[in-house]
Amino acid sequence: MRASNLTISIPAGKCQKNCPYCISKMTGYPEPDERLMLRKISKVRKLAELSGVTSVLITGKSEPFQNYQFMRNFLDSFRDFPVEIQTNGILLSKWNDYSSLKDEGVDIIAFSIDKMKQLREYSECFSKLHKADILVRICLNVTDMIMPVTYNEIIEQVRSIEAEQLLFRKIMEPTSTVDTLEAQKTREWIREHTLSGSYYEKLQNDSSRNIDERWIRVTANGMRIWDNNGLSVSFSDYCIQEKSNEDEIRSLIFLEDGHLYTAWNSKASILF
């Protein structure tokens, strides 16, 4: 079994942002077991090494910085891997000193953004992360909340805050979801506000026609990376990993219940 990434989901209670398109609302919330997670760190690390994992993503069904002290256990255990933390930025933007994150082995902070004004609101945070030698990735969740901004306008705004990477993320429904009222409302919101992906596809088409961009590489999961005058640009057509083939897995997923899986929305994908 081969995997390019290990994703660790930090238990952190109810997220303070409560995004209307949140995939976690549709895939469910496993019962957290912090003690079991800590007990299995060494086994998860060993399997990650044997599987050829080249990067570690720390995220959560909620906001990982809401449980920062617990998250530090994983930063310490995987500090010799390239480590990325995915965040909504609300808590992190209020920090004063970001050098501690660098000291703990963090290489990239990926900000989940759904309104262009958030680039201005977090601009000081971005600047401080740069000074701490931590890369900034803007993960733009594409819905009508950012319309009608054009592709070139987005590029210029991201360039103005000196981010190194920009990811356009298509918001979509998982094929398998929990049967709750919250999940139903989330599905309805996505159907109403993503315009069946047409805005995302327009941005993607505008990128493909941009003469300033050149192709750099394809990631292990098939995502193309482009160079737009020094800014890394990519498009992700899926929000979560739902299935893998027998030998090649996009991510090993260590959930907050203390078990390792290969899919976010299937208990049957459990490894141990």
Side-chain angles (χ1 to χ4, degrees), residues 179-194:
D179 186 19
T180 64
L181 179 60
E182 182 180 52
Q184 179 183 338
K185 289 181 177 179
T186 305
R187 286 194 299 270
E188 292 172 353
W189 193 96
I190 290 175
R191 292 170 184 174
E192 180 180 352
H193 294 274
T194 59

Side-chain angles (χ1 to χ4, degrees), residues 9 21-31 60-62 172-180 182-184 186-187 190 239-242 253 255-256 263-267:
S9 184
Y21 52 81
C22 180
I23 299 299
S24 295
K25 296 176 180 179
M26 293 184 285
T27 56
Y29 304 92
E31 187 68 28
K61 295 275 188 172
S62 180
M172 56 188 295
E173 304 172 48
T175 57
S176 176
T177 65
V178 295
D179 186 19
T180 64
E182 182 180 52
Q184 179 183 338
T186 305
R187 286 194 299 270
I190 290 175
C239 293
I240 62 168
Q241 175 175 299
E242 299 189 80
I253 303 166
L255 288 184
E256 47 266 77
W264 282 93
N265 58 345
S266 173
K267 289 185 177 181

Side-chain angles (χ1 to χ4, degrees), residues 193-259:
H193 294 274
T194 59
L195 306 177
S196 300
S198 58
Y199 181 45
Y200 173 88
E201 291 165 3
K202 182 182 185 308
L203 293 172
Q204 201 167 30
N205 289 335
D206 289 346
S207 171
S208 67
R209 292 195 296 267
N210 194 308
I211 61 174
D212 292 328
E213 293 186 356
R214 61 188 182 93
W215 174 65
I216 297 296
R217 67 181 185 276
V218 178
T219 66
N221 56 21
M223 187 167 63
R224 289 181 173 269
I225 308 295
W226 301 86
D227 176 351
N228 185 308
N229 292 321
L231 174 65
S232 169
V233 178
S234 56
F235 288 79
S236 178
D237 293 339
Y238 42 80
C239 293
I240 62 168
Q241 175 175 299
E242 299 189 80
K243 61 182 179 179
S244 303
N245 65 38
E246 185 174 350
D247 298 318
E248 294 290 338
I249 296 172
R250 173 184 166 194
S251 297
L252 298 171
I253 303 166
F254 192 26
L255 288 184
E256 47 266 77
D257 62 359
H259 295 289

Side-chain angles (χ1 to χ4, degrees), residues 112-160:
S112 184
I113 299 294
D114 52 28
K115 298 181 181 69
M116 297 305 295
K117 68 178 183 179
Q118 292 166 345
L119 295 180
R120 298 188 300 274
E121 293 171 350
Y122 299 157
S123 60
E124 185 177 353
C125 176
F126 301 146
S127 177
K128 289 180 179 179
L129 286 169
H130 288 138
K131 290 178 181 177
D133 197 25
I134 296 174
L135 301 186
V136 172
R137 176 184 299 137
I138 301 301
C139 301
L140 194 62
N141 299 318
V142 180
T143 72
D144 61 7
M145 289 195 292
I146 64 170
M147 290 178 65
V149 185
T150 67
Y151 177 75
N152 286 333
E153 287 172 340
I154 292 171
I155 291 292
E156 289 309 309
Q157 290 191 46
V158 171
R159 199 184 301 282
S160 72

